[in-house]
Amino acid sequence: MTDTTSEVFTAAVTLTPAEADRFDLAFTAVTQPCPWPKAYGGDLVAQAAAAAMKSVADGKTLHSMHSYFMRPADIGAEVRYEVELLRDGRGYATRQVRGYQNGKPLYVCLANFAAGEPGASHTCDLPDWLGEELPGPEELRSSADCLEGRAGGTMTEVSKDYWSGGRGFDMRHVPGPVYLDIEGEQEPHQAVWVKPFDALRPVDGLTDAQRDTAALSYVCDYTILEPVLRVLGLPWAREGLVTASLDHSMWFHRAPQPGVVDGWLLYAQQAVAADAGRGLASGRFFTPDGTHLATVVQEGIIRDSRGGHG
């Protein structure tokens, strides 16, 4: 079993300054190990978020990112991020970030920052489909518990180890995971309680608040397509299933209080559409007291070579 720590996230978002070739600033970062043919998409989103945040020096905070994944990234390899300073205004600032590997662009995003100002506040309620008796994370099985002693499909011991503890975050599903089969109802929604396996470490060049923002952008991609898989009846280990991120948007509505991201957050997810080999899902991060922190929308390839779905 992989040691269950959050250090994989720290390694992912630790950037090295580099000489800019194309734009104004440049950094390099390394994609983290995973048992698939391509690197985890959250590596790219979080690394680009970190690069963009490092380019803003006047206290503005990241409030939105809009990304496209153009090519798969090699695992355990360096990605070069070039940051273009598109605008620095009094209230808002905009950055373009491009990720390059093997001399080719593989990822691009626009990131927007806001100074913030006094104004009215609203936070949406938890979705009605969660019901009145939402189980807490301690009442639910961990991924390791769900996979212990089980096998089938494309699930290997290496991938089981990764799902169980190699992602840096504990993830507990409501109503159940979709690893080997669809646990719970085949409905277009689910929720995942997420928490780092241990407290997030300092990240060189980022404030703790910026690190927490990067952590949300990092962990969001692991499960965001799962409500689409759930409603289509396609577990991760299904033979012939191919998934890949296409585009991704994220809005950060309010900064979490210090230490909040070290604890449990509820990630409520909804399948929006699936057709023509693509699926779209949305997700919202809530604190345990119901405060809405961030919203995610992502589209991905969902291809089932056995037919009948996607």
Side-chain angles (χ1 to χ4, degrees):
M1 170 66 70
T2 303
D3 289 338
T4 51
T5 77
S6 63
E7 192 169 3
V8 63
F9 161 71
T10 309
V13 295
T14 298
L15 308 187
T16 301
E19 193 70 28
D21 287 340
R22 299 169 175 86
F23 296 133
D24 300 295
L25 297 169
F27 304 91
T28 61
V30 176
T31 57
Q32 297 305 294
C34 65
W36 326 122
K38 58 184 180 299
Y40 167 54
D43 279 359
L44 306 182
V45 177
Q47 289 167 356
M53 287 188 288
K54 280 175 172 283
S55 75
V56 177
D58 60 0
K60 295 185 181 72
T61 58
L62 181 63
H63 76 83
S64 67
M65 290 181 69
H66 303 280
S67 308
Y68 282 92
F69 301 86
M70 296 178 289
R71 292 179 175 88
D74 295 335
I75 298 168
E78 188 175 271
V79 180
R80 179 185 184 85
Y81 293 93
E82 294 264 350
V83 183
E84 183 178 14
L85 311 185
L86 290 177
R87 179 177 182 267
D88 279 300
R90 286 183 298 177
Y92 292 88
T94 306
R95 302 291 187 259
Q96 179 185 192
V97 184
R98 291 190 187 182
Y100 295 86
Q101 197 175 70
N102 303 318
K104 296 180 179 180
L106 52 79
Y107 170 89
V108 62
C109 85
L110 288 174
N112 217 47
F113 294 79
E117 57 189 272
S121 182
H122 168 71
T123 183
C124 67
D125 296 330
L126 295 174
D128 290 340
W129 51 260
L130 283 172
E132 297 181 1
E133 300 297 327
L134 173 69
E138 305 302 340
E139 303 172 55
L140 300 168
R141 295 172 298 159
S142 67
S143 296
D145 291 336
C146 292
L147 291 168
E148 185 176 3
R150 302 192 64 197
T154 62
M155 185 70 70
T156 65
E157 289 302 314
V158 173
S159 59
K160 188 188 298 186
D161 191 35
Y162 179 74
W163 287 121
S164 298
R167 298 180 289 178
F169 289 77
D170 194 347
M171 302 183 202
R172 305 191 179 192
H173 288 70
V174 181
V178 294
Y179 297 132
L180 287 155
D181 48 34
I182 305 300
E183 296 192 27
E185 297 297 323
Q186 192 174 318
E187 295 178 330
H189 44 67
Q190 67 171 28
V192 186
W193 285 103
V194 298
K195 180 175 75 69
F197 282 120
D198 57 5
L200 296 177
R201 296 155 175 77
V203 175
D204 187 38
L206 297 181
T207 66
D208 287 353
Q210 289 173 329
R211 176 207 58 201
D212 290 351
T213 297
L216 292 180
S217 68
Y218 179 83
V219 75
C220 72
D221 189 30
Y222 280 123
T223 57
I224 186 59
L225 292 180
E226 287 186 350
V228 182
L229 298 181
R230 179 179 295 278
V231 75
L232 295 179
L234 298 173
W236 284 114
R238 180 182 174 94
E239 296 279 359
L241 177 65
V242 175
T243 66
S245 302
L246 289 171
D247 52 78
H248 171 100
S249 292
M250 191 164 188
W251 294 264
F252 304 91
H253 308 302
R254 47 184 58 84
Q257 293 297 311
V260 164
V261 178
D262 289 333
W264 289 107
L265 296 175
L266 183 69
Y267 192 14
Q269 303 165 340
Q270 179 87 33
V272 177
D275 196 45
R278 301 186 309 276
L280 182 74
S282 63
R284 287 176 281 173
F285 282 100
F286 294 91
T287 63
D289 68 0
T291 301
H292 181 198
L293 296 180
T295 298
V296 181
V297 177
Q298 182 160 307
E299 186 178 42
I301 293 170
I302 298 181
R303 183 180 299 135
D304 177 19
S305 66
R306 292 170 54 172
H309 300 281

